[in-house]
Amino acid sequence: MFINYAHRGASEYRPENTMSSFQLGIKMGANGIETDIRRSRDGLLVLFHDDTLKRVTGESGSVSDYTYAELSKFNVYDKSGKYTDKIVLFEDFLKAFSPTKLYFAIELKEKNCEEEVLDLLEKYNMREKCTITSFCFEYIKNIKKLDCRYKTGFLCDAPDEEKISDMKSIACEEVCPKADLINKENVALWHGYGFNVRAWGVADTNLMERIYDLGVDGMTVNFPDRLEEYKKQR
Ligand code: G3P
Ligand code: CA
């Protein structure tokens, strides 16, 4: 099944990685949500993309410098500055969305989150409906060591033979290549290896349409409405 992942929610239109962004993504027809995991100073897992708070909240420092109580006072702004929302706890996200039919891409942004992410995913019966991803191969390797029943995806550019072999060695299920590096030949190659192919870095509608037509199995988009519209035309 093709998955239209609302990337950090419908982040083109709402503050990324917040409830309003996820909810709008669902309303626009996304059948998946992608989000990013970090840890607060008091050890709670929260949804946040950047290394620092500056770009989306205007605050100084990083998520790890603040307790969740402190983080929850900050506003997260959308691109236009028109909408604001709050930083979300991973567990609250799971409470809200695990009962749905959505599929999830959970990206590990920091080390030492693997065990707790798995505990929470188990608690909310998420095993069959998520893929745990990272740009850091070690993190997904650790996931497989802890529980090989969880699907993993490796975020990369376009993997060379060495990376492919690393992925095979841990039975990683999904290659997540950068969208503008995808072509007909490498999609066929990766499918031939048995990987699911899910793109990231879909910067605009033209790229979205091109890789959709190449037969990828899913992509993360900031504008899930445009992808839904295109799917209807094909
Ligand atoms: O689709 C995964 C994508 O989210 C990876 O890039 O920078 O948005 O985490 P980034
Ligand atoms: Ca991400």
Side-chain angles (χ1 to χ4, degrees), residues 102-115:
L102 294 163
Y103 197 82
F104 301 86
I106 308 295
E107 184 184 345
L108 306 180
K109 285 291 190 195
E110 288 179 4
K111 63 181 178 183
N112 299 330
C113 295
E114 298 92 335
E115 218 164 323

Side-chain angles (χ1 to χ4, degrees), residues 59-77:
E59 305 290 338
S60 61
S62 302
V63 162
S64 59
D65 295 327
Y66 297 91
T67 63
Y68 180 67
E70 290 165 338
L71 290 169
S72 61
K73 294 198 182 103
F74 299 155
N75 286 318
V76 182
Y77 296 91

Side-chain angles (χ1 to χ4, degrees), residues 7-8 34-36 49 107 109 135 155:
H7 179 236
R8 312 178 203 162
E34 189 271 354
T35 189
D36 305 289
H49 177 271
E107 184 184 345
K109 285 291 190 195
F135 284 104
L155 290 158

